């Protein structure tokens, strides 16, 4: 009695390897480098007098510029982040640099988040 090779097992193993490779490549951007999600906390969220942002998984963002509360939505493509429909409270903040309230876009670079105004000028960074 002759036995046939276990072709279905080899095919299943090959399919598993292909799927695993596809899964790993989905964690990289088009340049092949790992992309970082902006989701999570940036800046000093423990001290309300310090700038910070919290990016929620549903696309909402909130935080503080060190004086005013900030809130809005975000969208990320690769390492580029667009801040949308941003609003803030309008408290007069004597002696506080409220630079974060001017943020329109951001760029994730590992554990650093560089923020830019509407003109594309860099205005500051926050650490994860």
């Amino acid at each position: 009695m002759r036995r046939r090779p276990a072709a279905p097992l080899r095919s299943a193993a090959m399919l598993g390897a292909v799927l695993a490779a596809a899964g790993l490549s989905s964690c990289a951007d088009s340049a092949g480098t790992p992309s970082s999600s902006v989701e999570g906390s940036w800046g000093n969220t423990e001290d309300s007098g310090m700038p910070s942002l919290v990016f929620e998984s549903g696309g909402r963002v909130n935080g503080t510029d060190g004086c005013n509360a900030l809130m809005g939505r975000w969208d990320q493509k690769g390492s580029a982040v667009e801040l949308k429909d941003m609003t803030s409270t309008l408290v007069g903040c004597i002696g506080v640099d409220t630079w974060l309230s001017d943020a329109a876009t951001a760029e994730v670079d590992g554990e650093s988040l560089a923020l830019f105004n509407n003109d594309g000028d860099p205005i500051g960074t926050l650490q994860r």
Side-chain angles (χ1 to χ4, degrees), residues 31-112:
T33 58
S35 62
S36 296
S37 174
V38 73
E39 285 182 39
S41 299
W42 297 88
N44 186 344
T45 57
E46 302 295 317
D47 181 353
S48 62
M50 299 297 292
S52 66
L53 291 172
V54 177
F55 292 84
E56 299 172 7
S57 63
R60 302 287 304 159
V61 59
N62 61 70
T64 179
D65 62 8
C67 180
N68 290 290
L70 305 170
M71 62 225 67
R73 297 181 306 115
W74 64 273
D75 185 40
Q76 183 173 8
K77 290 181 178 55
S79 61
V81 179
E82 181 182 4
L83 301 173
K84 302 176 180 182
D85 305 324
M86 294 299 290
T87 61
S88 73
T89 58
L90 297 174
V91 176
C93 306
I94 298 172
V96 177
D97 183 0
T98 58
W99 63 270
L100 188 54
S101 61
D102 291 331
T105 61
E107 185 81 20
V108 177
D109 184 12
E111 298 298 303
S112 242

Side-chain angles (χ1 to χ4, degrees), residues 24 29 60 74 116:
L24 290 175
D29 63 19
R60 302 287 304 159
W74 64 273
F116 304 87

Side-chain angles (χ1 to χ4, degrees), residues 6-28:
L9 291 176
R10 281 190 295 244
S11 296
M14 180 67 105
L15 178 60
V18 168
L19 291 175
L24 290 175
S25 68
S26 70
C27 294

